[in-house]
Amino acid sequence: MASTRPDSPGSLKFPPRPPASSSSRSSVWAWRLREGATPFNVLFLMFSFFIIAAAVMSSPSCSASAIDQRSAEIGFAACGSGFTPRRAAGLLAAEGLVVASLASVLGVVAGIGYAALMLTGLRTWWVEAVVVPFLELHATPLSLAAGYASGVLVSAGAIVWSVRQARKSSAAVLLASRGGGSLASAGSPSRWWTWSAGFLLIAATGIAVAAVWMHEDARAGAFFGTGSLVLTALLILVWTRLRSGATGPAVAVGRGNLPRLAIRNAARHPGRSALSIGLVAAASFLIIAIGAFHLDPVGREPQRSSGDGGFALVAETSQPIYQDLNTAAGRADLGIAAQDAALFDSASIMPLRVKAGDDASCLNLYKPQQPRILGVPQAMIERGGFDWADTDADSPAEHTNPWLLLTRQLPPDLDGTPRVPVVIEKNTAMYALHLWNGVGETFDVADRHGQPIRLVVAGLLNNGIFQGDLLISEEALLKHFPDTSGYRFFLIEADPRRVADLSAVVNQTLGSYGVRVETTGERLARFLAVQNTYLSTFQSLGGLGLLLGTLGLAAVELRNVLERRGELALLRATGFRRRTLAWLVMLENGLLLIGGLVVGGLAALVALLPHLLSGGASIPWPSLAGTLLAVLAVGLFAGLAAVRTVLAAPMLPALRGE
């Protein structure tokens, strides 16, 4: 339900823009609804994958619990009541299908409400992610029908599987309402499962390592693929460990017998325990991964090899400046006071020419047609710096300083169109301009006569201050746009201790030129606010997954307690206190929770490996620890329902059943 193409089914609709007044945009462009640059549908679908997986995994557990409550009916039918076991199971399955059909209707309504709530957030609290507040919900009958059918099919599959499992039990077990296998009858799993888990881990590690050299679009796919493979492999290993009974003795000399018994009990139903761990792991993976992508550049000291290139301030003017701010004569001509000369003498100012155009940064929701172009002076080309994601360098000098790529003289294309090397920030290239292949891609712009110029991507910058701009050499800019006069974009390299004073002086002295000054950290934060805001919306998906996982885990624990009520009553009769049994159930619940957190955390770390190595992610350990502790607390709180069942269960009826 999220796309920027207005005619696609199940998309976000964008009303046409009003006519634009900028001279850099033709009247045809002004009246036409422009293509969106952000693929909302892909983003939300990919991040929702783990939530969908958590819901699918919880369906068998919930349906099995419901069937277990009615298993005595199947057992009664098997004892000659006139109903065959097959017919009794069919009636239960039909009854469950009716409930699933009604529940899917509620799910569709809830899904529409959740999407509407998300859009409300994007129009208000998270408006930085889309910049414009006029997003509308666009749901088609086809998308709603597909969602409804998917829910019914998943539920039907879970119900049929649960009924078939119940039919495998003997009539005596069904009449006693004690279905399900035990550790003693589980048997050792085939070695094929262990080998497959090892193969998946090797494949996931290989993909994660290879993703370091992948383009950004391929790296996004590798992230989700790696996470899925690691999650699957670890869950297989947990399941095989539990199914083989390799959990150690239930009782040993010394302390710690209660935790040993809890671990042993977790192996009674290995599939059920692995499912519970998988529910928590999916939500934990999403929360950890999203938290690692939150970046905050404010307060960092400028570095030449980073996204700020070592510059402390960025100044933009609405009117061109012709004087050289690095010379005393130029500053005097601009009316800069002599007492401020010391501040300018301690700084180095790099002026860039500006060819006005569309904003191609993430702050613009629409795909730009004629992006803004900056002319990089020879002094900056020779200076070097900035963080490069990829380049077309083929000489030692270009590898050392990729800015030299802008000085290449490219021959015209086969159709006679002049070609010019260009450097673009990677997010701008891929998400705004849709140059998915990166280096080597071409993008046509029109010169002042309307003739095309073919810009050839020679290098990509990592997250930096040039997001939204096309960078070509100043010589090429003046050749194709000779009417671009003066300078309107200034990079200022200064002593960090004098940045605030210098910013104030520039604002004061160049105010008549319509100057806007900001630190490079603030500029980067403004661009990253879009990314961070999207991550906040996706964290709400993680919260939904955590809710599903917690409810699923509580359902599993409640089912375990109901199946073992005779056993727990026998333990109470032999001297175990109610509080001890409550702690036993809580320990089982806690072990499954911790297992899920560990599995999800390991999967997230492997999937994040290329992003951590490239600097595109950083793990916020304090907030991450707080989040995981909150997950643990919520899960333990959900387990209190099972604990209350233990404490409130009458002992005598349970002993008779045992």
Side-chain angles (χ1 to χ4, degrees):
M1 260 188 215
S3 170
T4 55
R5 297 189 62 85
D7 297 328
S8 62
S11 62
L12 298 176
K13 297 177 67 178
F14 297 90
R17 277 186 169 183
S21 59
S22 173
S23 60
S24 65
R25 191 179 305 147
S26 69
S27 60
V28 176
W29 292 343
W31 285 100
R32 183 167 60 89
L33 177 63
R34 298 163 63 188
E35 179 184 3
T38 306
F40 288 102
N41 53 343
V42 177
L43 290 174
F44 279 90
L45 181 62
M46 293 180 74
F47 274 96
S48 299
F49 170 77
F50 293 95
I51 309 306
I52 296 172
V56 171
M57 287 190 296
S58 64
S59 295
S61 178
C62 294
S63 60
S65 297
I67 295 298
D68 282 350
Q69 301 284 337
R70 309 280 299 278
S71 58
E73 297 180 17
I74 302 178
F76 183 73
C79 292
S81 63
F83 282 90
T84 63
R86 180 187 296 271
R87 186 178 180 186
L91 289 174
L92 288 178
E95 178 184 326
L97 188 59
V98 171
V99 175
S101 301
L102 296 176
S104 295
V105 173
L106 297 178
V108 169
V109 175
I112 295 174
Y114 182 75
L117 182 62
M118 292 286 288
L119 289 180
T120 301
L122 288 171
R123 288 193 296 261
T124 54
W125 316 304
W126 301 322
V127 72
E128 292 89 352
V130 294
V131 183
V132 293
F134 48 73
L135 301 180
E136 297 178 1
L137 180 66
H138 181 54
T140 65
L142 180 62
S143 64
L144 298 180
Y148 175 81
S150 300
V152 172
L153 289 176
V154 170
S155 301
I159 292 168
V160 171
W161 177 84
S162 301
V163 170
R164 287 175 59 89
Q165 292 297 111
R167 284 182 56 197
K168 293 180 181 179
S169 301
S170 65
V173 171
L174 291 171
L175 286 172
S177 299
R178 294 186 285 112
S182 65
L183 179 63
S185 61
S188 298
S190 170
R191 290 185 178 181
W192 183 88
W193 289 103
T194 304
W195 293 340
S196 63
F199 174 76
L200 291 177
L201 287 176
I202 294 173
T205 304
I207 294 174
V209 173
V212 176
W213 295 278
M214 291 180 182
H215 289 296
E216 192 67 19
D217 54 339
R219 188 180 294 178
F223 168 79
F224 289 101
T226 301
S228 301
L229 290 176
V230 175
L231 275 176
T232 303
L234 293 179
L235 289 176
I236 290 175
L237 291 176
V238 169
W239 175 78
T240 56
R241 184 79 174 178
L242 294 175
R243 185 176 175 86
S244 63
T247 56
V251 179
V253 178
R255 296 175 179 269
N257 283 321
L258 198 63
R260 292 190 188 98
L261 185 58
I263 297 174
R264 191 72 171 175
N265 285 333
R268 292 170 59 92
H269 297 284
R272 195 181 301 173
S273 297
L275 175 64
S276 302
I277 292 175
L279 289 171
V280 179
S284 300
F285 173 87
L286 194 59
I287 291 173
I288 294 172
I290 290 177
F293 283 113
H294 275 278
L295 299 176
D296 185 11
V298 177
R300 296 181 183 176
E301 187 172 337
Q303 297 181 355
R304 183 166 291 200
S305 60
S306 68
D308 54 43
F311 294 99
L313 294 172
V314 177
E316 296 187 60
T317 60
S318 57
Q319 299 297 322
I321 294 177
Y322 301 93
Q323 294 82 357
D324 187 354
L325 290 170
N326 289 303
T327 64
R331 294 194 292 267
D333 195 23
L334 289 170
I336 297 176
Q339 59 267 27
D340 298 325
L343 282 174
F344 282 91
D345 288 336
S346 65
S348 175
I349 302 177
M350 193 70 67
L352 284 76
R353 296 182 186 270
V354 178
K355 168 63 178 70
D358 298 332
D359 180 13
S361 72
C362 54
L363 300 176
N364 181 16
L365 190 63
Y366 296 91
K367 182 178 179 180
Q369 306 297 320
Q370 186 85 357
R372 188 173 76 163
I373 303 175
L374 300 182
V376 181
Q378 187 64 30
M380 181 170 169
I381 292 176
E382 295 174 355
R383 174 186 180 274
F386 287 88
D387 183 14
W388 294 82
D390 193 13
T391 70
D392 192 30
D394 57 9
S395 69
E398 290 175 345
H399 280 290
T400 303
N401 181 14
W403 287 109
L404 295 174
L405 294 167
L406 294 182
T407 62
R408 286 181 174 179
Q409 300 297 321
L410 302 180
D413 215 334
L414 296 177
D415 59 359
T417 303
R419 298 193 302 157
V420 177
V422 63
V423 170
I424 313 176
E425 195 267 341
K426 65 176 183 180
N427 290 325
T428 300
M430 301 199 185
Y431 300 115
L433 303 179
H434 297 174
L435 304 177
W436 303 111
N437 293 326
V439 171
E441 283 270 26
T442 60
F443 183 82
D444 287 1
V445 296
D447 63 13
R448 63 171 181 164
H449 301 296
Q451 299 301 313
I453 302 171
R454 190 150 297 150
L455 302 180
V456 182
V457 179
L460 294 174
L461 295 168
N462 273 321
N463 291 326
I465 57 177
F466 289 120
Q467 186 179 134
D469 296 319
L470 307 182
L471 302 169
I472 65 176
S473 67
E474 184 177 11
E475 178 185 357
L477 183 70
L478 292 175
K479 177 181 178 180
H480 297 285
F481 304 97
D483 55 341
T484 305
S485 59
Y487 300 91
R488 296 198 293 114
F489 192 95
F490 303 88
L491 299 175
I492 304 174
E493 191 174 6
D495 186 342
R497 295 170 298 181
R498 312 189 74 175
V499 167
D501 295 335
L502 184 60
S503 176
V505 169
V506 172
N507 265 316
Q508 180 182 357
T509 56
L510 300 181
S512 59
Y513 290 87
V515 70
R516 177 186 177 183
V517 185
E518 60 183 342
T519 66
T520 51
E522 292 169 346
R523 184 180 180 87
L524 286 171
R526 186 156 51 87
F527 292 138
L528 289 174
V530 178
Q531 171 182 309
N532 291 337
T533 303
Y534 276 128
L535 294 177
S536 296
T537 63
F538 296 140
Q539 277 185 322
S540 68
L541 297 176
L544 180 59
L546 177 60
L547 177 62
L548 291 174
T550 301
L551 293 177
L553 184 58
V556 168
E557 282 302 309
L558 183 59
R559 182 183 177 192
N560 287 338
V561 169
L562 290 174
E563 288 181 355
R564 295 160 51 199
R565 55 185 179 269
E567 171 193 331
L568 295 173
L570 183 60
L571 289 174
R572 286 172 55 192
T574 56
F576 280 81
R577 293 179 299 176
R578 289 191 176 190
R579 180 175 298 179
T580 303
L581 295 180
W583 274 112
L584 177 63
V585 176
M586 288 293 291
L587 279 174
E588 293 176 24
N589 191 43
L591 288 173
L592 296 178
L593 272 171
I594 294 173
L597 295 178
V598 171
V599 169
L602 289 176
L605 288 177
V606 176
L608 287 170
L609 179 63
H611 302 274
L612 294 173
L613 294 178
S614 64
S618 60
I619 299 179
W621 294 108
S623 61
L624 179 60
T627 301
L628 296 183
L629 288 175
V631 171
L632 184 61
V634 170
L636 291 176
F637 180 77
L640 288 176
V643 173
R644 293 186 63 182
T645 303
V646 174
L647 297 176
M651 187 169 60
L652 188 57
L655 282 174
R656 287 174 177 171
E658 187 68 16

